[in-house]
Amino acid sequence: MAETSNKRTELSELGEFGLIEHLTNDIKLKNKSTLKGIGDDAAVLDYGNKVALLSTDLLIEGVHFDMSYTPLKHLGYKTAVVNFSDIAAMNGIPKQITVSIAVSNRYSVEALEEFYNGLLFACERYGVDLVGGDTSSCPHGMFVSVSVVGEAEKDKVVYRKGAKEYDLVCVTGDLGAAYMGLLLLEREKQVFQSDPTMQPDLSGHDYILERHLKPEARTDIVEQLQKAGILPTSMIDISDGLASEILHICKNSEVGCSLYEDKLPIDVAMATMAEELNISAVTAAMNGGEDYELLFTIVQKDYEKLKEIPGITVIGHITAKNEGINLVSNDGKLIPITAQGWNHWREKNDREVEGDKGQEK
């Protein structure tokens, strides 16, 4: 018999990404149709002229969402959209999803109808079919598991690897607003818990609240890039924060990068809330998470085509690996970019933005 070890390794020692790598490091692909397995935003399966993109996601009440301030219709919408975003991050278009849920008897039929109304609204908006799933009971709260299937041309799939020295680093939309929306909701929840007679004050914060509660997948950018004849050299969606995602691209591509503080796209509503909460807007933009924008790289010759597409910002460039992964501050200092992502097993998930507390999907 094989000798068993008495050593116990705590999950917190590895963190989420370390655990994934530890559990999957020795997996060998057996089928020729599996072009890409674990390690990107979606698996890539070869089925003829096109490839199928497959991704799955798990959402748990109390970890990924808080029902005290999350409307069920918004939760259903967000559940679908964040999975569509994984397909967009591979330069594909989502086509089908399956959704499985487990709920406690705290939830009524009407409550689940609200969840599915949001889910189906997202499917209608993005042209995606809900094709199956499962339901079950559980002792506490709600658990949701989603699998999404998308498609792309075989030679048009974009991975996290592929970035080369001198490529431009680009990002869609603006960053950090979703995190500011979360902090606002958490603040008002704490106020209400300490004094139930106080009503939440959310007026004037529609933008950051919508960015957190009802994000959008940037399938529109995928379509516009294709129309412009631009094929990114690497791409990822921003779920864990810009810092975490650029580290993924650089690690997979074996390159470095320089991002510029003054180029980061920051909305005025986000900056205003950051100032009110005494948080650096730049830190929030780098580490906030759940923006579901696209971070991608392009060759320099495609810049002339890219600048015709609204809503995309060039925030830096790829460098040689030995130059490191840096943020160039407004005064020219090189600040090494570090991020841990959202670690589900950290003993103190206190959501302080310093050190990247972007929430994993």
Side-chain angles (χ1 to χ4, degrees):
M1 285 182 68
E3 185 178 342
T4 59
S5 172
N6 292 323
K7 179 184 178 183
R8 174 184 169 88
T9 303
E10 300 299 333
L11 296 173
S12 58
E13 291 183 35
L14 297 182
E16 180 177 3
F17 300 125
L19 178 66
I20 292 171
E21 184 173 355
H22 178 77
L23 295 177
T24 63
N25 190 49
D26 296 326
I27 290 178
K28 300 292 189 292
L29 301 179
K30 305 174 186 66
N31 298 296
K32 291 183 178 179
S33 58
T34 308
L35 300 183
K36 178 66 178 179
I38 295 167
D40 220 299
D41 287 277
V44 183
L45 312 178
D46 185 357
Y47 289 111
N49 295 330
K50 291 188 176 182
V51 297
L53 305 170
L54 175 64
S55 182
T56 191
D57 199 13
L58 181 64
L59 298 135
I60 302 171
E61 183 177 346
V63 177
H64 301 98
F65 58 91
D66 187 330
M67 291 310 306
S68 65
Y69 53 68
T70 306
L72 279 163
K73 190 170 184 178
H74 285 73
L75 179 62
Y77 189 90
K78 184 174 182 177
T79 295
V81 164
V82 300
N83 282 273
F84 301 164
S85 183
D86 280 332
I87 302 302
M90 304 294 293
N91 204 38
I93 299 297
K95 293 296 183 180
Q96 295 91 16
I97 61 168
T98 64
V99 179
S100 297
I101 63 171
V103 294
S104 68
N105 58 12
R106 175 163 61 88
Y107 288 88
S108 65
V109 171
E110 291 76 16
L112 296 186
E113 285 177 349
E114 277 291 286
F115 174 82
Y116 270 87
N117 284 339
L119 188 75
L120 293 171
F121 180 57
C123 288
E124 179 69 23
R125 183 166 185 173
Y126 285 85
V128 175
D129 295 324
L130 176 60
V131 296
D134 194 14
T135 58
S136 180
S137 63
C138 64
H140 307 285
M142 173 186 281
F143 297 78
V144 185
S145 177
V146 180
S147 291
V148 58
V149 179
E151 66 178 37
E153 301 290 338
K154 189 179 297 185
D155 59 350
K156 299 292 176 62
V157 179
V158 179
Y159 300 91
R160 296 176 182 181
K161 65 180 182 179
K164 297 290 190 294
E165 190 175 1
Y166 307 118
D167 283 357
L168 302 178
V169 180
C170 311
V171 69
T172 63
D174 57 78
L175 304 175
Y179 183 63
M180 287 299 103
L182 173 63
L183 290 186
L184 172 62
L185 290 166
E186 289 284 356
R187 183 187 72 179
E188 295 306 308
K189 175 185 175 180
Q190 291 174 11
V191 170
F192 178 76
Q193 287 177 332
S194 62
D195 183 0
T197 64
M198 296 289 291
Q199 292 300 307
D201 181 14
L202 303 175
S203 59
H205 300 296
D206 292 358
Y207 181 69
I208 61 174
L209 291 172
E210 184 172 12
R211 290 285 281 168
H212 175 68
L213 295 173
K214 188 176 173 289
E216 301 294 347
R218 300 313 304 265
T219 54
D220 59 320
I221 294 295
V222 171
E223 294 170 352
Q224 289 181 64
L225 290 173
Q226 291 174 353
K227 288 179 182 178
I230 299 172
L231 182 64
T233 54
S234 67
M235 185 153 61
I236 192 171
D237 74 331
I238 301 177
S239 57
D240 291 304
L242 175 61
S244 182
E245 314 305 359
I246 193 62
L247 287 173
H248 281 310
I249 284 181
C250 290
K251 178 181 177 181
N252 282 264
S253 301
E254 297 186 347
V255 295
C257 79
S258 291
L259 304 186
Y260 293 86
E261 178 182 346
D262 62 346
K263 299 296 183 184
L264 298 179
I266 295 174
D267 184 84
V268 63
M270 182 280 231
T272 301
M273 178 53 62
E275 183 178 4
E276 182 177 332
L277 297 176
N278 197 28
I279 292 173
S280 162
V282 171
T283 302
M286 290 293 295
N287 299 304
E290 292 206 312
D291 293 306
Y292 298 104
E293 297 293 346
L294 293 176
L295 173 68
F296 60 97
T297 56
I298 62 169
V299 296
Q300 289 194 24
K301 67 180 179 61
D302 281 340
Y303 174 70
E304 291 302 316
K305 302 175 188 175
L306 184 83
K307 70 180 185 179
E308 301 300 321
I309 303 175
I312 298 177
T313 306
V314 176
I315 61 172
H317 62 274
I318 298 297
T319 64
K321 184 177 181 179
N322 61 11
E323 294 185 39
I325 304 168
N326 299 297
L327 178 69
V328 182
S329 66
N330 289 338
D331 58 3
K333 294 180 180 178
L334 297 182
I335 304 171
I337 295 173
T338 59
Q340 297 176 354
W342 174 249
N343 184 346
H344 297 284
W345 300 285
R346 205 170 41 229
E347 290 185 9
K348 289 183 66 178
N349 284 326
D350 56 12
R351 301 296 297 170
E352 292 177 2
V353 76
E354 293 295 331
D356 183 22
K357 302 296 185 285
Q359 186 174 9
E360 172 70 0
K361 299 171 296 177

